[in-house]
Amino acid sequence: MAATAPAQIRPFRPSDGSQVLALAPRLIQGVAPWRDPAAVGRAANNWLRTSIDTAGQPGHAVYVAVADGQVVGVVTVRERTHFTGQTDAYVGELVVASGMERRGIATALMNAAEAWTAQRGLAFLTLQTGAGNQPARGLYRQLGFHEEELLLTKAIQPGHHGQPNSWARLTSS
C-alpha cells in the first residue's frame, strides 16, 4: 500500500498567495551555475506570481499542498501549444517547502496536475527542469516522464569574435 502524502492537495485560494510566493526561492535549485542567481530568483518569483494571478482563468490551474494549516508545496499547470500545434498541459512550477521533501508531496501535486490534464482531454503533460536538478529529474523519471528536448548553452565573451569555423572558411573560398 502506497504511503499518503502528509498534506492535503487542493486548488489554490487567493489567501494562499503569500505562502506560495514564499516558496519561490526553492525554484532556483538546479539552475546552471553560470546564471545570475538574483535574476533567477526574480524570474522564479514572477513565474509564481503570474501563475497564481491566472489560476482562475480557463486553461490554467494551481494546486497547493497544505499541512498543519501551512502551504508546503505548489504545482502550476496550464494549457500550452506544442510546436506541432497540439495542445499539451504544461507544468510551470513544482516546488515543495524545505524540510518537506521526500514525503510524497511532489508526487501528490503532480498527480493533481495529471488529473487536471486528463480531465481536459489532453494527451501529454510536459515540463522543464534544470539539467543539474538531479532530485527533480529522478522524480520525473519515476513518474513516467521522458526527455524530449535538450537546451544547449555556450558562453560567449562579449566583443570576442573568435575564429571562423570551417564552414565559414569553406563558403568564403
Side-chain angles (χ1 to χ4, degrees):
M1 182 161 131
T4 58
Q8 172 196 10
I9 307 301
R10 63 163 172 76
F12 169 82
R13 298 176 188 151
S15 60
D16 298 326
S18 62
Q19 291 183 67
V20 167
L21 291 173
L23 296 171
R26 301 265 303 153
L27 290 170
I28 67 170
Q29 293 181 335
V31 173
W34 54 82
R35 297 294 181 181
D36 175 4
V40 173
R42 287 189 301 275
N45 192 53
N46 288 336
W47 298 332
L48 276 177
R49 183 172 302 283
T50 299
S51 291
I52 64 176
D53 287 349
T54 59
Q57 295 180 6
H60 294 79
V62 176
Y63 295 95
V64 295
V66 179
D68 297 324
Q70 296 294 310
V71 172
V72 296
V74 64
V75 66
T76 70
V77 62
R78 65 180 170 89
E79 290 182 359
R80 182 165 104 169
T81 303
H82 186 264
F83 69 80
T84 61
Q86 183 175 20
T87 301
D88 292 342
Y90 176 75
V91 171
E93 298 84 31
L94 171 66
V95 62
V96 173
S98 180
M100 297 299 290
E101 305 93 337
R102 307 200 57 80
R103 297 182 189 199
I105 295 170
T107 298
L109 287 165
M110 288 300 292
N111 288 342
E114 282 190 42
W116 183 88
T117 302
Q119 182 181 42
R120 301 188 74 76
L122 302 175
F124 297 103
L125 177 60
T126 64
L127 57 83
Q128 293 172 270
T129 193
N133 193 346
Q134 294 304 320
R137 291 178 72 190
L139 170 69
Y140 299 137
R141 275 190 298 276
Q142 287 177 345
L143 294 176
F145 284 81
H146 301 278
E147 292 183 4
E148 180 177 3
E149 298 176 7
L150 183 62
L151 175 68
L152 303 173
T153 303
K154 178 181 179 181
I156 305 295
Q157 293 179 341
H160 178 72
H161 301 291
Q163 299 297 318
N165 63 32
S166 58
W167 182 83
R169 284 193 297 270
L170 291 174
T171 58
S172 63
S173 309

